[in-house]
Amino acid sequence: MIRDLSDDEAREALVCKWGLVAPDVLPAWVAEMDYAIAPPITEALHRAVAAGRTGYPQFAAGGALGAAYAGFAARQFGHEVDPERVVATVDVTAGVRLALDVLAPPGPLLMPVPAYSPQLAIAEICGRERRDLVVEPDAAHAGIDLAALDRAFADGARVLLLTQPHNPWGRVFSRAELEGIRDVVRRHDAFVISDEIHAPITLGDAVHVPYLAVTGTAEHAVAVVAASKAFNIAGLKCAQMVTADERLHQRLVTAPMARNDSWSVLGVEASIAAYAEGDAWLAALRTTLTARREQFVAGLAATLPLARMRPLEATYLAWVDLRAYGHDDPAARALDLARLQVSAGHDYHPGLAGHVRVNIATSEARVEEIVRRLGVAVG
Ligand SMILES: Cc1ncc(COP(=O)(O)O)c(C=O)c1O
């Protein structure tokens, strides 16, 4: 069910991942997958374009998109979402900005780092101070230290940007961890923006728990979700904001249009198809990615035995500690010496040397080649 794209197809399809690197470079960087998109999505897009559906989307909350997401959340996560409280937005990054602008209390934004790199700039863009909560990403169990979280709120932070599952740690937070976070947040009357873009991409037997599925979170949290990562449709521009509290929902839907009017009608169509008809394809994707994970782990162990890779519980973005090989910037070496484009660890945690993030959502042959090239560059 999951069809690998050939190099030529990937260059046509993925103009960022494959188009921004030289032809001899193997791209394993930005979070896009070298797989053909799910047939129900292609069909929905063909139907929409044939019907001339290229105008504005419907601007009301809920609707077919809300119903499709609520069905997906119920089946995939056992989470009850009120379809009317699903509000579209252009993408997850814009959704986080919107949440900061209209939902979160004023005050510093707490970012656990390493963090998805573009989000490191979000606090400043939204006129807030950024405070970092440094997490040891190479620990066997990278997680949010509740005592440090408590101190950060006591010191004035007001909002936590919680990414879960986490990029780049690859962590899926357990319900108990989320309950611990909830308790600290409530103690300080703080706010949580839960970026759950990677929620559908759990690997093996990992289970995603939506933050809003944890009791006692409705009044202080918004989830920003999307079909974009799991179904490779980031360019279609449609994410969703989910609240479980009428007061927060009202703040979202009464925000002036100029704050949130840019999502695309084709993104809506594709997201509905993904949520309503994509379960079988998604199950196959998880199986494929789990196999690529096992392959990458085994290949890395054989080729670079001193490398340490965090257990990848979700996402297809492997976080690899290569410090034992003594290079500050292994990503630069990979490009220079082996024509392999991976992401540099210091992009996710400024000042952190010796790490790379490797995108393994590709064919078996390319994963083998990624490992070989890493070995050439770093070993
Ligand atoms: C955690 C996380 N949030 C947000 C994004 C970006 O999402 P969007 O393109 O919808 O803004 C990514 C992209 O990989 C991501 O990993």
Side-chain angles (χ1 to χ4, degrees):
M1 222 180 202
I2 304 302
R3 190 174 75 72
D4 292 315
L5 298 175
S6 68
D7 287 13
D8 286 347
E9 286 174 329
R11 271 189 203 99
E12 280 288 319
L14 303 169
V15 298
C16 175
K17 185 183 184 187
W18 283 74
L20 291 180
V21 298
D24 65 330
V25 170
L26 181 56
W29 59 300
V30 63
E32 299 191 293
M33 305 185 286
D34 300 339
Y35 307 134
I37 59 174
I41 296 179
T42 318
E43 287 156 22
L45 290 170
H46 280 156
R47 275 197 307 275
V49 173
R53 192 165 299 168
T54 53
Y56 290 120
Q58 294 180 341
F59 285 118
L65 179 62
Y69 180 71
F72 183 79
R75 293 190 310 279
Q76 295 286 335
F77 315 129
H79 177 40
E80 283 285 310
V81 167
D82 179 346
E84 293 308 315
R85 293 218 184 102
V86 176
V87 174
T89 190
V90 60
D91 55 27
V92 169
T93 305
V96 172
R97 286 201 309 268
L98 181 65
L100 283 170
D101 286 345
V102 308
L103 298 181
L109 172 68
L110 195 56
M111 293 283 301
V113 291
Y116 167 61
S117 42
Q119 282 179 347
L120 291 172
I122 271 190
E124 191 184 347
I125 288 166
C126 294
R128 292 178 190 248
E129 184 189 336
R130 184 183 102 206
R131 304 242 176 116
D132 291 346
L133 187 68
V134 176
V135 171
E136 172 49 72
D138 308 307
H141 189 81
I144 292 182
D145 177 342
L146 296 182
L149 185 65
D150 192 69
R151 276 196 304 279
F153 285 135
D155 287 348
R158 300 294 293 130
V159 188
L160 170 68
L161 180 51
L162 179 68
T163 298
Q164 65 113 4
H166 201 277
N167 167 25
W169 318 340
R171 276 295 323 282
V172 173
F173 292 81
S174 68
R175 185 176 288 273
E177 283 178 288
L178 296 174
E179 286 170 349
I181 292 169
R182 171 206 60 196
D183 292 345
V184 178
V185 169
R186 284 175 61 141
R187 198 176 311 139
H188 294 277
D189 199 18
F191 195 82
V192 171
I193 301 172
S194 189
D195 171 346
E196 299 185 15
I197 191 170
H198 293 284
I201 322 175
T202 45
L203 306 182
D205 53 12
V207 176
H208 168 72
V209 179
Y211 188 69
L212 286 172
V214 175
T215 327
T217 55
E219 292 79 23
H220 70 248
V222 59
V224 192
V225 303
S228 56
K229 284 295 135 182
F231 291 92
N232 235 16
I233 51 173
L236 292 172
K237 295 295 164 199
C238 178
Q240 301 86 43
M241 322 269 295
V242 182
T243 50
D245 174 79
E246 186 55 23
R247 194 181 48 98
L248 291 175
H249 174 69
Q250 284 306 323
R251 295 235 293 269
L252 272 184
V253 292
T254 56
M257 202 168 178
R259 277 205 193 275
N260 188 35
D261 71 341
S262 309
W263 69 92
S264 110
V265 72
L266 293 179
V268 173
E269 298 292 345
S271 302
I272 292 171
Y275 288 143
E277 302 171 64
D279 284 9
W281 189 90
L282 181 61
L285 176 74
R286 287 192 185 123
T287 304
T288 299
L289 290 178
T290 303
R292 294 292 80 80
R293 173 187 70 179
E294 310 311 324
Q295 183 197 350
F296 184 73
V297 167
L300 199 64
T303 311
L304 290 171
L306 303 180
R308 295 197 318 160
M309 177 180 149
R310 276 208 39 70
L312 192 62
E313 299 162 352
T315 85
Y316 44 80
L317 307 162
W319 179 258
V320 186
D321 174 5
L322 294 166
R323 281 177 294 191
Y325 291 95
H327 312 298
D328 278 354
D329 191 352
R333 285 178 70 88
L335 185 60
D336 290 349
L337 303 179
R339 311 306 284 154
L340 173 69
Q341 180 85 55
V342 293
S343 304
H346 55 73
D347 286 348
Y348 302 83
H349 183 172
L352 182 71
H355 291 72
V356 293
R357 194 197 71 168
V358 185
N359 181 340
I360 59 166
T362 190
S363 66
E364 187 174 351
R366 288 196 202 98
V367 168
E368 195 178 321
E369 183 61 12
I370 288 169
V371 171
R372 193 190 69 76
R373 292 192 193 198
L374 261 186
V376 168
V378 176

